[in-house]
Amino acid sequence: MTAGSRSRALHAKARSLMPAGVNSPVRAFGSVGGEPIFYDHASGCRFTDVDGRTYIDWVGSWGPLILGHAHPAVVEAVREAAGRGLSFGAPCREEVRLASMVVETVPHLEMVRFVSSGTEAVMSAVRLARGATGRDTIIKFSGCYHGHADHLLVSAGSGLATFGTPSSAGVPGAFARHTVVLPLDDEAAVERAFAEHGDGIAAVIIEGIPANAGLLVQRREFMERLRSLCTEHGALFILDEVITGFRVGPGGAAALYGVEPDLATYGKIIGGGMPVGMYGGRREIMEQLAPLGPVYQAGTLSGNPVAMAAGIATLEVLLADGGAAYRRLEALGERLAAGLRGAIEARGRPWSVVREGSILWLSLGGGEPPRRSENIDPASAGVYAVLHRALLERGVYLAPSAYEVAFVSLAHDEAAIDETVGAFEEALGEAGT
Ligand SMILES: *Cc1c(COP(=O)(O)O)cnc(C)c1O
């Protein structure tokens, strides 16, 4: 039993009010067992639950909190903005400031539009790609998550280059038939799909670095091939940088791979912990949006001044001092990865730690770390559940799912990393791991 009595009581009440007691499925702890821990307050790299226990947090709200919890500059910016009004539903100064920070930092973002979540950003970018090309089909990759819009909750159909089937009840089969789902890391599969459906493909969408089914780092050649195939066939290349944007560097995964998408989607970090999404790209495509063009998209709370203020304050810290923040994140990420690897080797386990900057994933199978979701060892979920519980008991909070990554923030320090590695060494000594 890891959740304390107050967490358990709240969860019991929550379950009678909300499905599984949560507002997003993974929070229910279903895949690691036990009951969810209810947060009370958080600061830096630690949070305290409603039972008064403190944990080192490696989830960071699933990515947004790259500065850590309740960073003083972000909290102050939010307070100040809130004092001037919570929502205007009209243009405000903060939107212009955040848009100009992003456009000045990321070369391929010539114009942007703000929305309120990553899901909305991707959904809107796909609509824009369809509107701009006059085509309906999109290609996505299995293992990539792009939010929960209908046409992206689709898994591979049978056979190669066939249209997808819904991966959620409630998604019409007719929607899924506009989505082709392919394996990652397989140029030939994408070439075949273009050969078959080329003049019907509006866009190829991929995560900057797939980080929602483990961390499936792609080869540069694969990303470059996606770019060139889109160009050859008049399709748009959409890079979903909701996790990687401002995480793996100021230019996101696009800069890391040296590929220029036509459209990119953002969320998480650019909201600094507030609900913000954003999509952007080439000017002539973005000008297809209403009211300039025929592609409709709108939002009551879009460009919300308080949310924009949190994003601005976050980017100000990240972009100060010529990349010092990213050098620090790299060093912290490497320290954590090296510590975990040392513990794994000492125990003679065949596992690996996959890392890209401040994103880490424990690959609990043998051999080379997978580049495709199909190659993730299904037995790893059970091992992870045991490790997860052993770490929780030692005050270390990893994501409650084997397929989720860990995020290092600037608020993590050497002491928090060493404490985590020590707890991990102990956890590995427990039966069942
Ligand atoms: C989190 C995520 C989304 C969805 O963002 P929400 O804000 O949860 O709607 C989309 N794409 C990627 C790559 C994500 O990680």
Side-chain angles (χ1 to χ4, degrees):
M1 197 62 82
T2 45
S5 59
R6 291 203 180 103
S7 273
R8 291 204 306 278
L10 276 167
H11 190 224
K13 174 89 178 161
R15 270 200 303 232
S16 70
L17 299 167
M18 297 171 284
V22 295
N23 288 301
S24 197
V26 72
R27 298 180 193 172
F29 269 50
S31 59
V32 289
E35 293 198 54
I37 288 168
F38 281 63
Y39 281 49
D40 183 75
H41 60 276
S43 165
C45 70
R46 291 171 207 263
F47 76 90
T48 302
D49 72 6
V50 289
D51 290 283
R53 301 178 188 163
T54 296
Y55 303 81
I56 302 173
D57 187 6
W58 294 104
V59 180
S61 191
W62 307 95
L65 302 181
I66 195 167
L67 307 186
H69 288 280
H71 187 282
V74 179
V75 172
E76 184 46 40
V78 165
R79 278 214 178 92
E80 197 277 330
R84 287 184 289 113
L86 292 180
S87 174
F88 303 136
C92 67
R93 211 183 284 128
E94 288 81 2
E95 296 166 299
V96 182
R97 170 89 178 117
L98 187 56
S100 58
M101 291 176 87
V102 169
V103 165
E104 280 160 24
T105 307
V106 186
H108 56 86
L109 295 178
E110 295 173 0
M111 275 189 154
V112 296
R113 178 166 277 179
F114 291 109
V115 291
S116 300
S117 70
T119 293
E120 219 185 324
V122 174
M123 181 185 81
S124 309
V126 168
R127 182 183 306 135
L128 176 58
R130 286 171 162 162
T133 57
R135 302 169 174 185
D136 287 340
T137 302
I138 55 172
I139 292 179
K140 83 174 280 285
F141 296 92
S142 55
C144 284
Y145 177 69
H146 300 290
H148 62 86
D150 281 342
H151 46 258
L152 292 158
L153 287 182
V154 175
S155 40
S158 53
L160 281 170
T162 57
F163 293 104
T165 54
S167 62
S168 164
V171 174
F175 289 20
R177 282 196 289 278
H178 293 295
T179 305
V180 174
V181 184
L182 301 176
L184 286 161
D185 190 46
D186 186 350
E187 283 92 331
V190 191
E191 283 159 8
R192 275 195 302 273
F194 269 105
E196 198 172 326
H197 312 286
D199 55 6
I201 296 173
V204 172
I205 183 166
I206 187 169
E207 284 185 63
I209 300 171
N212 279 289
L215 184 61
L216 306 172
V217 180
Q218 297 301 293
R219 290 171 294 112
R220 173 185 288 258
E221 301 74 40
F222 179 67
M223 301 297 278
E224 286 171 347
R225 191 67 188 121
L226 297 184
R227 171 68 276 181
S228 67
L229 281 166
C230 287
T231 307
E232 281 164 35
H233 292 270
L236 301 184
F237 183 40
I238 306 177
L239 203 56
D240 182 354
E241 302 247 35
V242 170
I243 282 182
T244 47
F246 295 101
R247 165 65 63 182
V248 297
L256 208 67
Y257 283 108
V259 294
E260 278 216 346
D262 300 295
L263 292 172
T265 53
Y266 280 69
K268 300 191 171 125
I269 287 174
I270 56 152
M274 298 288 284
V276 179
M278 183 196 82
Y279 62 109
R282 298 213 325 261
R283 183 177 305 275
E284 73 268 23
I285 304 172
M286 292 302 288
E287 286 181 342
Q288 298 293 309
L289 282 174
L292 292 181
V295 180
Y296 189 73
Q297 184 269 310
T300 301
L301 295 174
S302 294
N304 173 271
V306 183
M308 295 288 105
I312 293 164
T314 299
L315 293 199
E316 275 172 349
V317 174
L318 289 175
L319 300 177
D321 302 329
Y326 293 101
R327 287 192 294 277
R328 173 79 179 147
L329 286 166
E330 172 67 25
L332 292 171
E334 182 47 34
R335 187 185 183 99
L336 179 58
L340 298 176
R341 282 180 192 131
I344 289 167
E345 274 163 34
R347 289 268 166 191
R349 303 296 155 86
W351 309 335
S352 37
V353 180
V354 186
R355 180 179 78 87
E356 185 59 60
S358 55
I359 313 175
L360 281 92
W361 179 55
L362 281 172
S363 173
L364 302 177
E368 282 291 297
R371 292 189 192 279
R372 292 184 193 166
S373 56
E374 294 82 355
N375 296 344
I376 297 176
D377 183 350
S380 57
V383 180
Y384 185 85
V386 178
L387 276 176
H388 185 266
R389 188 162 321 179
L391 287 168
L392 269 188
E393 279 161 9
R394 290 168 175 81
V396 173
Y397 189 89
L398 293 186
S401 159
Y403 298 95
E404 301 285 352
V405 295
F407 291 106
V408 181
S409 77
L410 288 169
H412 288 95
D413 55 14
E414 285 76 1
I417 288 171
D418 297 349
E419 197 179 322
T420 299
V421 170
F424 185 69
E425 281 164 354
E426 284 181 25
L428 282 186
E430 287 209 344
T433 64

